[in-house]
Amino acid sequence: DKIYKISGDFIDCNVTEVGASEIKYNYKGKPLLIFGIDKALVDRIEFATGEVTKVEGNSYNNSEYYSKQHKRALKINFLSPLMGSSEFVYEQSIKPGMTWETSLGIVGLGFDPQEDNAKGAYGKFALKFIKSPDFYMHKMHYAHILKGAYFAPEIAVRYVKFDSQAYDYYYYNYTSSRKEDFSVALNLKFGKQWVFDNAFLIDTYFGLGYGYTSNEYDVVNYGFIVGNNEAPISFTAGIRVGWTF
């Protein structure tokens, strides 16, 4: 038999036992002298019969732990209607520790506190990397495949038409005009998601990045905020609630 370690080296031996945390073996001619190696150090075992066994080194990546857990979710941005839009989010697990999510925001579907009669939409796409602990213990795994602190690069695009108020110093009054906003942002988001009873979830996040906007003078805050082209900083934050399935 041959035990191949993750370092690339191998041990030519007779495997006597594959335990939960250790592989035991002996050498030809010394059957009574038993050695052991931590399974976390082993990549695979090639037996003399030709059979090859891949050794699980990190239980976080074992999908069997999550076989009965929901791996998709539908979410809404809980506070976005107060700012004049409604945001709907779909999230799906790719593998343990990684998911992707996409968002659609409908501007005008909500309250209009600024009375700017905004109409439009925005979309977002993010790849989420869920954090694992700083140290590894045997048989540790995520409590839920969608749960945990995460880091997520996100790209966002928005197009909105809205009423803009400007003060006319000649007539000493405000005038209204219809304007357009086209914005693009690349944000680095940090957040945490909780899953309750494999059914209900809460997701909180904030993010910073770079952005571009065609609108230099009006602050548009639907989905994300982008500064002017002299300071092209973008910002996003939110609280989402939803259901897994």
Side-chain angles (χ1 to χ4, degrees), residues 130-232:
I130 302 173
K131 182 182 180 299
S132 59
D134 295 333
F135 58 91
Y136 176 74
M137 295 181 64
H138 182 61
K139 297 302 179 184
M140 286 183 66
H141 56 274
Y142 295 106
H144 193 280
I145 199 168
L146 299 177
K147 180 178 182 179
Y150 64 84
F151 162 73
E154 179 183 79
I155 186 169
V157 180
R158 177 181 63 212
Y159 178 76
V160 178
K161 290 185 176 181
F162 61 97
D163 293 335
S164 177
Q165 301 289 332
Y167 188 76
D168 190 326
Y169 289 94
Y170 185 80
Y171 292 102
Y172 299 104
N173 61 2
Y174 284 93
T175 60
S176 178
S177 61
R178 195 71 173 167
K179 289 188 175 182
E180 296 183 352
D181 170 82
F182 173 74
S183 299
V184 179
L186 177 61
N187 291 315
L188 302 180
K189 295 198 312 181
F190 299 87
K192 188 169 185 178
Q193 185 160 272
W194 294 267
V195 179
F196 303 93
D197 197 28
N198 196 30
F200 181 74
L201 62 81
I202 298 177
D203 179 11
T204 63
Y205 66 92
F206 74 93
L208 293 171
Y210 292 97
Y212 162 81
T213 179
S214 62
N215 174 39
E216 284 283 326
Y217 304 105
D218 299 276
V219 177
V220 180
N221 58 3
Y222 303 110
F224 56 96
I225 297 174
V226 178
N228 60 38
N229 293 331
E230 294 181 358

Side-chain angles (χ1 to χ4, degrees), residues 77-87 109-113:
N77 195 318
F78 187 65
L79 299 178
S80 65
L82 297 177
M83 306 302 293
S85 66
S86 293
E87 181 179 319
L109 186 59
F111 300 98
D112 190 7

Side-chain angles (χ1 to χ4, degrees), residues 33-52:
L33 189 58
I34 304 298
F35 297 87
I37 183 172
D38 191 335
K39 287 180 68 175
L41 301 176
V42 177
D43 176 65
R44 68 188 186 277
I45 304 172
E46 294 185 359
F47 293 96
T49 60
E51 181 184 359
V52 178

